[in-house]
Amino acid sequence: MTMTPPAAVSSRRLNLISLVLLLGAITTILDSTIVNIALDHFHTVFHSTVAQTQWVVTGYLLAYVAVVPVSGWASERFGARRMWMFAVAAFLLGSVLCGLAWNLPSLIGFRVLQGVGGGMVLPITITILTRAAGKERIGRAIATIGLVAQLGPILGPLIGGSLIDSVGWRWLFFVNAPLCLAALVLAPLFLPRGGRESSHRFDLLGFALLTPGVVALAYGISRGATPDGFAAVDAWLPLAIGAALLAGFTAWSLRSTRPALLDVRVFARRSFGVGSVITFLSGFSIYALMFLLPLFYQQIRGESVLTTGLLLIPQGLGTMCFILVNRRLGDRIDTRFVIAGGVVLAMIGTLPFALAGASGGDVLLLAGQFLQGFGMAAVSLPVMTLAFASLSHAETPRGSAAFNLVKQVGAPFGVTVIAVVLQQYLTGATTASQALGAFNATFWWVLVLSAVPLVLAFLVPATRRRAGGEKPGAPAQAEEAPAAIETV
């Protein structure tokens, strides 16, 4: 059975829905960066090796990507609101148990439970919010999600460093509880009821191909940061297995007469397909910078975790500034040029770090971070808007899962490649000047790789306003596009 798309809600109701959804989503977005900065601390607390403590992050990542493909089907089968509340509750339970962990194995196990909840929250959040917003306000919905997604990695080190210094590592996890509880209390009051939408049977074969495939890819990527890089057997072998399983799933999805776990056909649409490629490649720029900047400030500039968090604030300010001017830009400038301009600004913002010294030039670096934040938002938010606006009401759950899967694989892959590059440059670096040179060279790599989406930006369908129309929106199929939109 299928559901008739409901009418878009009022602006006031949309604001309340956004608030509730973001209460649940922000904890999962902040969690990874909050915990990442504590890995060295865990190494000391639990008297374990770096390889052992790394599983606090790896275990969460593997569980996270494993459930993303299932989130679309689960939303259709049991209702988006119900599954969102289940995901937030699972994340809450995992957070509390992590805070109570008595040794490293128990912490890793509870992090897996956290990942099961966290992996479903964001795709279902996007499904609920974009449906409630409707086609005409989808840009607003994506901007709301994008703001939190961009600020999370910036605020994470600041919050994490403050908690470790003041109340201890357990509060890295306990801090999630108030927000999750508030979200669970408010969800039945404000989120759309959204009952069961489909009686399709679970795609068991697709699950057997897709989930192990993305888990193998995620694991292989995580092992790529080891000294041998992707040449290590435990890196390239999982990557090869994962790629083979994904190829098998793609073939199965295209031939299946029943809805597959993910609908790969949506990638054939230019806006969704090109947007997904740009999102994947942003792992080499957006997420690579989020990885490199804290290391640069701490290892080269000698800053504390807390000070590093403060120094990263200009990047968040740049993101917020783009969101404030986004509507006006969209009214006047073709989306292709907005995305291309964002890529150029992010590249300009990276240049000061490629030329930076061990001290001085602080104003230039902070200005560069502002440009990075503005440019990153100018790339990611329009791309997401175009991709999701091309989906029909029925396609949104599985399309959201597909898009998020691309992002969750692309981000760590790009970061790992840049980490391998940095590691190669740092090998044999015995002086401070040599270490600085290693970071400068790695920032040049980021700058060059950032140029790839610049070319892809012009493959995005052009958008323009019709006479008397409203702001540009999605280059969807003609029957799905807002009335005021024209694509060329």
Side-chain angles (χ1 to χ4, degrees), residues 68-121:
V68 169
V70 184
S71 63
W73 173 84
S75 296
E76 296 173 349
R77 182 67 176 79
F78 302 106
R81 185 178 77 176
R82 185 177 300 168
M83 287 309 304
W84 186 85
M85 293 179 65
F86 167 81
V88 172
F91 184 82
L92 169 62
L93 178 60
S95 297
V96 172
L97 292 174
C98 283
L100 298 174
W102 53 92
N103 57 23
L104 186 61
S106 65
L107 178 59
I108 294 170
F110 296 143
R111 282 283 285 169
V112 170
L113 176 59
Q114 252 196 325
V116 169
M120 300 185 75
V121 169

Short mmCIF file of all heavy atoms in Angstrom, two decimals, residues 68-121:
data_model
loop_
_atom_site.label_atom_id
_atom_site.label_comp_id
_atom_site.label_asym_id
_atom_site.label_seq_id
_atom_site.Cartn_x
_atom_site.Cartn_y
_atom_site.Cartn_z
N VAL A 68 22.32 2.15 8.25
CA VAL A 68 21.82 3.19 7.34
C VAL A 68 20.97 2.60 6.22
O VAL A 68 19.88 3.11 5.93
CB VAL A 68 22.98 4.04 6.77
CG1 VAL A 68 22.48 4.93 5.63
CG2 VAL A 68 23.60 4.90 7.86
N PRO A 69 21.40 1.51 5.54
CA PRO A 69 20.58 0.97 4.45
C PRO A 69 19.20 0.49 4.91
O PRO A 69 18.25 0.51 4.12
CB PRO A 69 21.41 -0.22 3.93
CG PRO A 69 22.81 0.07 4.36
CD PRO A 69 22.68 0.77 5.66
N VAL A 70 19.08 0.08 6.15
CA VAL A 70 17.81 -0.46 6.66
C VAL A 70 16.85 0.66 7.04
O VAL A 70 15.64 0.44 7.12
CB VAL A 70 18.08 -1.38 7.87
CG1 VAL A 70 16.80 -2.04 8.35
CG2 VAL A 70 19.10 -2.45 7.51
N SER A 71 17.36 1.87 7.26
CA SER A 71 16.52 2.94 7.80
C SER A 71 15.36 3.30 6.88
O SER A 71 14.26 3.61 7.35
CB SER A 71 17.38 4.18 8.08
OG SER A 71 17.95 4.69 6.88
N GLY A 72 15.58 3.27 5.56
CA GLY A 72 14.51 3.62 4.64
C GLY A 72 13.37 2.61 4.69
O GLY A 72 12.19 2.99 4.80
N TRP A 73 13.71 1.32 4.61
CA TRP A 73 12.68 0.29 4.69
C TRP A 73 11.95 0.34 6.04
O TRP A 73 10.71 0.24 6.09
CB TRP A 73 13.30 -1.10 4.50
CG TRP A 73 12.32 -2.21 4.74
CD1 TRP A 73 11.42 -2.73 3.84
CD2 TRP A 73 12.12 -2.92 5.97
NE1 TRP A 73 10.68 -3.72 4.44
CE2 TRP A 73 11.07 -3.86 5.75
CE3 TRP A 73 12.70 -2.86 7.22
CZ2 TRP A 73 10.63 -4.72 6.73
CZ3 TRP A 73 12.25 -3.71 8.22
CH2 TRP A 73 11.23 -4.63 7.97
N ALA A 74 12.69 0.51 7.12
CA ALA A 74 12.08 0.54 8.46
C ALA A 74 11.11 1.72 8.60
O ALA A 74 10.05 1.59 9.22
CB ALA A 74 13.16 0.61 9.53
N SER A 75 11.46 2.87 8.01
CA SER A 75 10.57 4.03 8.07
C SER A 75 9.26 3.75 7.35
O SER A 75 8.18 4.13 7.82
CB SER A 75 11.25 5.25 7.43
OG SER A 75 12.39 5.63 8.16
N GLU A 76 9.34 3.09 6.20
CA GLU A 76 8.15 2.75 5.44
C GLU A 76 7.31 1.68 6.15
O GLU A 76 6.09 1.75 6.17
CB GLU A 76 8.53 2.25 4.05
CG GLU A 76 9.22 3.28 3.18
CD GLU A 76 9.73 2.69 1.88
OE1 GLU A 76 9.73 1.45 1.76
OE2 GLU A 76 10.14 3.46 0.99
N ARG A 77 7.98 0.72 6.73
CA ARG A 77 7.29 -0.44 7.32
C ARG A 77 6.65 -0.11 8.66
O ARG A 77 5.52 -0.56 8.95
CB ARG A 77 8.31 -1.58 7.50
CG ARG A 77 7.71 -2.87 8.04
CD ARG A 77 6.75 -3.50 7.04
NE ARG A 77 6.26 -4.77 7.49
CZ ARG A 77 5.28 -4.94 8.40
NH1 ARG A 77 4.72 -3.87 8.92
NH2 ARG A 77 4.89 -6.15 8.74
N PHE A 78 7.31 0.66 9.49
CA PHE A 78 6.83 0.91 10.85
C PHE A 78 6.44 2.36 11.11
O PHE A 78 5.92 2.67 12.19
CB PHE A 78 7.89 0.49 11.88
CG PHE A 78 8.29 -0.95 11.77
CD1 PHE A 78 9.52 -1.31 11.24
CD2 PHE A 78 7.44 -1.96 12.18
CE1 PHE A 78 9.90 -2.64 11.13
CE2 PHE A 78 7.80 -3.30 12.08
CZ PHE A 78 9.04 -3.63 11.55
N GLY A 79 6.70 3.25 10.16
CA GLY A 79 6.39 4.66 10.35
C GLY A 79 7.64 5.44 10.71
O GLY A 79 8.42 5.01 11.57
N ALA A 80 7.82 6.60 10.07
CA ALA A 80 9.05 7.37 10.27
C ALA A 80 9.17 7.87 11.71
O ALA A 80 10.25 7.81 12.30
CB ALA A 80 9.09 8.54 9.29
N ARG A 81 8.08 8.37 12.29
CA ARG A 81 8.18 8.90 13.65
C ARG A 81 8.53 7.79 14.64
O ARG A 81 9.38 7.97 15.52
CB ARG A 81 6.86 9.56 14.06
CG ARG A 81 6.94 10.24 15.44
CD ARG A 81 5.65 10.91 15.82
NE ARG A 81 4.63 9.97 16.26
CZ ARG A 81 3.43 10.32 16.73
NH1 ARG A 81 3.10 11.61 16.79
NH2 ARG A 81 2.56 9.41 17.10
N ARG A 82 7.89 6.67 14.51
CA ARG A 82 8.15 5.55 15.43
C ARG A 82 9.60 5.08 15.33
O ARG A 82 10.26 4.85 16.35
CB ARG A 82 7.19 4.40 15.11
CG ARG A 82 7.28 3.22 16.06
CD ARG A 82 6.25 2.17 15.69
NE ARG A 82 4.90 2.73 15.76
CZ ARG A 82 3.83 2.11 15.27
NH1 ARG A 82 3.96 0.95 14.65
NH2 ARG A 82 2.64 2.67 15.38
N MET A 83 10.11 4.97 14.11
CA MET A 83 11.49 4.51 13.96
C MET A 83 12.49 5.57 14.42
O MET A 83 13.55 5.24 14.94
CB MET A 83 11.76 4.12 12.50
CG MET A 83 11.11 2.82 12.07
SD MET A 83 11.45 1.44 13.20
CE MET A 83 13.23 1.42 13.23
N TRP A 84 12.14 6.84 14.23
CA TRP A 84 13.03 7.90 14.71
C TRP A 84 13.13 7.85 16.23
O TRP A 84 14.22 7.97 16.79
CB TRP A 84 12.49 9.26 14.25
CG TRP A 84 13.41 10.40 14.56
CD1 TRP A 84 14.47 10.85 13.82
CD2 TRP A 84 13.35 11.27 15.71
NE1 TRP A 84 15.07 11.92 14.43
CE2 TRP A 84 14.41 12.20 15.59
CE3 TRP A 84 12.51 11.34 16.81
CZ2 TRP A 84 14.65 13.20 16.54
CZ3 TRP A 84 12.74 12.32 17.77
CH2 TRP A 84 13.80 13.24 17.63
N MET A 85 12.01 7.66 16.89
CA MET A 85 12.02 7.57 18.35
C MET A 85 12.79 6.33 18.82
O MET A 85 13.52 6.37 19.81
CB MET A 85 10.60 7.55 18.89
CG MET A 85 9.85 8.87 18.68
SD MET A 85 8.15 8.84 19.31
CE MET A 85 8.45 8.66 21.08
N PHE A 86 12.64 5.23 18.09
CA PHE A 86 13.40 4.02 18.43
C PHE A 86 14.90 4.28 18.30
O PHE A 86 15.69 3.88 19.16
CB PHE A 86 12.99 2.87 17.50
CG PHE A 86 13.92 1.69 17.56
CD1 PHE A 86 13.81 0.76 18.58
CD2 PHE A 86 14.92 1.52 16.60
CE1 PHE A 86 14.69 -0.33 18.65
CE2 PHE A 86 15.79 0.44 16.66
CZ PHE A 86 15.67 -0.48 17.69
N ALA A 87 15.29 4.96 17.22
CA ALA A 87 16.72 5.23 16.99
C ALA A 87 17.28 6.14 18.07
O ALA A 87 18.38 5.89 18.60
CB ALA A 87 16.91 5.86 15.61
N VAL A 88 16.55 7.19 18.43
CA VAL A 88 17.02 8.10 19.48
C VAL A 88 17.10 7.36 20.82
O VAL A 88 18.05 7.56 21.59
CB VAL A 88 16.09 9.33 19.59
CG1 VAL A 88 16.45 10.18 20.81
CG2 VAL A 88 16.16 10.17 18.33
N ALA A 89 16.11 6.50 21.10
CA ALA A 89 16.13 5.73 22.35
C ALA A 89 17.32 4.78 22.40
O ALA A 89 17.97 4.63 23.45
CB ALA A 89 14.83 4.95 22.51
N ALA A 90 17.63 4.13 21.28
CA ALA A 90 18.79 3.23 21.23
C ALA A 90 20.09 4.02 21.44
O ALA A 90 21.00 3.56 22.15
CB ALA A 90 18.84 2.50 19.89
N PHE A 91 20.18 5.19 20.82
CA PHE A 91 21.36 6.03 21.00
C PHE A 91 21.48 6.49 22.46
O PHE A 91 22.58 6.52 23.03
CB PHE A 91 21.29 7.24 20.07
CG PHE A 91 22.51 8.10 20.11
CD1 PHE A 91 23.64 7.78 19.37
CD2 PHE A 91 22.55 9.24 20.90
CE1 PHE A 91 24.79 8.57 19.42
CE2 PHE A 91 23.68 10.04 20.95
CZ PHE A 91 24.79 9.71 20.20
N LEU A 92 20.36 6.85 23.07
CA LEU A 92 20.35 7.27 24.47
C LEU A 92 20.81 6.14 25.38
O LEU A 92 21.67 6.34 26.26
CB LEU A 92 18.94 7.72 24.86
CG LEU A 92 18.67 7.96 26.35
CD1 LEU A 92 19.56 9.07 26.88
CD2 LEU A 92 17.20 8.28 26.58
N LEU A 93 20.26 4.94 25.18
CA LEU A 93 20.66 3.80 26.00
C LEU A 93 22.14 3.50 25.83
O LEU A 93 22.86 3.28 26.82
CB LEU A 93 19.83 2.57 25.61
CG LEU A 93 20.16 1.26 26.35
CD1 LEU A 93 19.96 1.43 27.85
CD2 LEU A 93 19.30 0.11 25.80
N GLY A 94 22.61 3.52 24.58
CA GLY A 94 24.04 3.28 24.34
C GLY A 94 24.91 4.34 25.01
O GLY A 94 25.97 4.02 25.56
N SER A 95 24.46 5.60 25.00
CA SER A 95 25.23 6.69 25.61
C SER A 95 25.36 6.49 27.12
O SER A 95 26.45 6.63 27.69
CB SER A 95 24.57 8.04 25.32
OG SER A 95 24.55 8.31 23.94
N VAL A 96 24.24 6.17 27.76
CA VAL A 96 24.27 5.98 29.22
C VAL A 96 25.16 4.80 29.58
O VAL A 96 25.97 4.87 30.52
CB VAL A 96 22.84 5.77 29.75
CG1 VAL A 96 22.86 5.38 31.23
CG2 VAL A 96 22.00 7.03 29.56
N LEU A 97 25.05 3.71 28.83
CA LEU A 97 25.88 2.53 29.11
C LEU A 97 27.36 2.82 28.86
O LEU A 97 28.22 2.33 29.59
CB LEU A 97 25.41 1.35 28.26
CG LEU A 97 24.03 0.78 28.62
CD1 LEU A 97 23.61 -0.30 27.63
CD2 LEU A 97 24.03 0.22 30.04
N CYS A 98 27.66 3.62 27.83
CA CYS A 98 29.06 4.00 27.58
C CYS A 98 29.61 4.77 28.78
O CYS A 98 30.76 4.57 29.20
CB CYS A 98 29.17 4.87 26.33
SG CYS A 98 29.07 3.95 24.76
N GLY A 99 28.80 5.67 29.33
CA GLY A 99 29.23 6.43 30.49
C GLY A 99 29.47 5.58 31.71
O GLY A 99 30.22 5.96 32.62
N LEU A 100 28.82 4.41 31.76
CA LEU A 100 28.96 3.49 32.89
C LEU A 100 29.97 2.38 32.62
O LEU A 100 30.16 1.51 33.48
CB LEU A 100 27.59 2.85 33.22
CG LEU A 100 26.47 3.81 33.64
CD1 LEU A 100 25.15 3.06 33.77
CD2 LEU A 100 26.82 4.52 34.95
N ALA A 101 30.61 2.40 31.46
CA ALA A 101 31.53 1.32 31.06
C ALA A 101 32.64 1.13 32.10
O ALA A 101 33.17 2.10 32.64
CB ALA A 101 32.12 1.62 29.69
N TRP A 102 32.98 -0.13 32.37
CA TRP A 102 33.97 -0.45 33.39
C TRP A 102 35.33 -0.83 32.81
O TRP A 102 36.33 -0.86 33.52
CB TRP A 102 33.45 -1.57 34.28
CG TRP A 102 33.01 -2.78 33.51
CD1 TRP A 102 33.76 -3.87 33.19
CD2 TRP A 102 31.71 -3.00 32.95
NE1 TRP A 102 33.02 -4.76 32.44
CE2 TRP A 102 31.74 -4.26 32.29
CE3 TRP A 102 30.51 -2.27 32.92
CZ2 TRP A 102 30.63 -4.79 31.64
CZ3 TRP A 102 29.41 -2.81 32.28
CH2 TRP A 102 29.48 -4.05 31.65
N ASN A 103 35.38 -1.11 31.51
CA ASN A 103 36.67 -1.39 30.86
C ASN A 103 36.52 -1.09 29.38
O ASN A 103 35.43 -0.74 28.89
CB ASN A 103 37.11 -2.84 31.11
CG ASN A 103 36.09 -3.86 30.64
OD1 ASN A 103 35.25 -3.58 29.78
ND2 ASN A 103 36.13 -5.05 31.21
N LEU A 104 37.60 -1.25 28.64
CA LEU A 104 37.58 -0.90 27.22
C LEU A 104 36.65 -1.80 26.40
O LEU A 104 35.89 -1.29 25.58
CB LEU A 104 39.00 -0.94 26.64
CG LEU A 104 39.14 -0.46 25.19
CD1 LEU A 104 38.69 1.00 25.06
CD2 LEU A 104 40.58 -0.61 24.70
N PRO A 105 36.66 -3.13 26.58
CA PRO A 105 35.73 -3.96 25.80
C PRO A 105 34.27 -3.57 26.02
O PRO A 105 33.47 -3.57 25.07
CB PRO A 105 36.02 -5.39 26.29
CG PRO A 105 37.44 -5.34 26.75
CD PRO A 105 37.62 -3.98 27.35
N SER A 106 33.89 -3.26 27.27
CA SER A 106 32.49 -2.87 27.51
C SER A 106 32.18 -1.54 26.83
O SER A 106 31.09 -1.35 26.27
CB SER A 106 32.22 -2.77 29.01
OG SER A 106 32.97 -1.73 29.61
N LEU A 107 33.14 -0.61 26.83
CA LEU A 107 32.92 0.67 26.15
C LEU A 107 32.74 0.46 24.66
O LEU A 107 31.85 1.06 24.04
CB LEU A 107 34.11 1.60 26.43
CG LEU A 107 34.06 2.97 25.74
CD1 LEU A 107 32.82 3.76 26.15
CD2 LEU A 107 35.32 3.78 26.05
N ILE A 108 33.56 -0.39 24.07
CA ILE A 108 33.44 -0.66 22.63
C ILE A 108 32.08 -1.30 22.31
O ILE A 108 31.41 -0.92 21.35
CB ILE A 108 34.59 -1.57 22.16
CG1 ILE A 108 35.92 -0.83 22.27
CG2 ILE A 108 34.36 -2.05 20.73
CD1 ILE A 108 37.15 -1.70 22.06
N GLY A 109 31.66 -2.25 23.13
CA GLY A 109 30.37 -2.90 22.91
C GLY A 109 29.21 -1.91 22.98
O GLY A 109 28.29 -1.95 22.15
N PHE A 110 29.23 -1.03 23.96
CA PHE A 110 28.16 -0.04 24.11
C PHE A 110 28.22 1.01 23.00
O PHE A 110 27.20 1.58 22.63
CB PHE A 110 28.23 0.61 25.48
CG PHE A 110 27.99 -0.35 26.62
CD1 PHE A 110 28.71 -0.24 27.81
CD2 PHE A 110 27.08 -1.38 26.50
CE1 PHE A 110 28.51 -1.13 28.86
CE2 PHE A 110 26.86 -2.29 27.54
CZ PHE A 110 27.57 -2.15 28.72
N ARG A 111 29.41 1.26 22.48
CA ARG A 111 29.53 2.17 21.33
C ARG A 111 28.86 1.59 20.09
O ARG A 111 28.31 2.33 19.26
CB ARG A 111 31.00 2.45 21.04
CG ARG A 111 31.64 3.45 21.98
CD ARG A 111 31.22 4.87 21.64
NE ARG A 111 31.91 5.35 20.45
CZ ARG A 111 31.59 6.47 19.81
NH1 ARG A 111 30.56 7.20 20.22
NH2 ARG A 111 32.28 6.87 18.74
N VAL A 112 28.90 0.26 19.96
CA VAL A 112 28.19 -0.39 18.84
C VAL A 112 26.70 -0.13 18.95
O VAL A 112 26.03 0.18 17.96
CB VAL A 112 28.51 -1.90 18.82
CG1 VAL A 112 27.60 -2.62 17.82
CG2 VAL A 112 29.97 -2.14 18.46
N LEU A 113 26.15 -0.25 20.18
CA LEU A 113 24.73 0.04 20.38
C LEU A 113 24.43 1.50 20.04
O LEU A 113 23.41 1.81 19.42
CB LEU A 113 24.34 -0.26 21.83
CG LEU A 113 22.90 0.09 22.22
CD1 LEU A 113 21.90 -0.65 21.36
CD2 LEU A 113 22.67 -0.22 23.71
N GLN A 114 25.31 2.39 20.44
CA GLN A 114 25.16 3.80 20.07
C GLN A 114 25.11 3.97 18.56
O GLN A 114 24.30 4.73 18.03
CB GLN A 114 26.36 4.59 20.61
CG GLN A 114 26.07 5.51 21.78
CD GLN A 114 27.19 6.51 21.98
OE1 GLN A 114 28.37 6.22 21.78
NE2 GLN A 114 26.83 7.70 22.38
N GLY A 115 25.99 3.25 17.87
CA GLY A 115 26.04 3.36 16.41
C GLY A 115 24.79 2.87 15.73
O GLY A 115 24.37 3.43 14.71
N VAL A 116 24.15 1.83 16.29
CA VAL A 116 22.89 1.32 15.73
C VAL A 116 21.83 2.42 15.76
O VAL A 116 21.10 2.63 14.79
CB VAL A 116 22.43 0.08 16.50
CG1 VAL A 116 21.01 -0.30 16.10
CG2 VAL A 116 23.38 -1.09 16.25
N GLY A 117 21.75 3.13 16.88
CA GLY A 117 20.79 4.22 16.97
C GLY A 117 21.21 5.40 16.12
O GLY A 117 20.40 5.95 15.35
N GLY A 118 22.48 5.80 16.22
CA GLY A 118 22.96 6.97 15.51
C GLY A 118 22.87 6.84 14.00
O GLY A 118 22.58 7.82 13.30
N GLY A 119 23.08 5.63 13.47
CA GLY A 119 23.04 5.44 12.03
C GLY A 119 21.67 5.64 11.42
O GLY A 119 21.54 5.94 10.23
N MET A 120 20.60 5.48 12.23
CA MET A 120 19.25 5.63 11.71
C MET A 120 18.69 7.03 11.93
O MET A 120 17.75 7.44 11.25
CB MET A 120 18.32 4.60 12.36
CG MET A 120 18.74 3.16 12.14
SD MET A 120 17.54 1.98 12.79
CE MET A 120 16.24 2.09 11.59
N VAL A 121 19.25 7.78 12.88
CA VAL A 121 18.66 9.07 13.24
C VAL A 121 18.70 10.05 12.08
O VAL A 121 17.67 10.65 11.72
CB VAL A 121 19.36 9.66 14.48
CG1 VAL A 121 18.93 11.12 14.68
CG2 VAL A 121 19.02 8.87 15.72
#
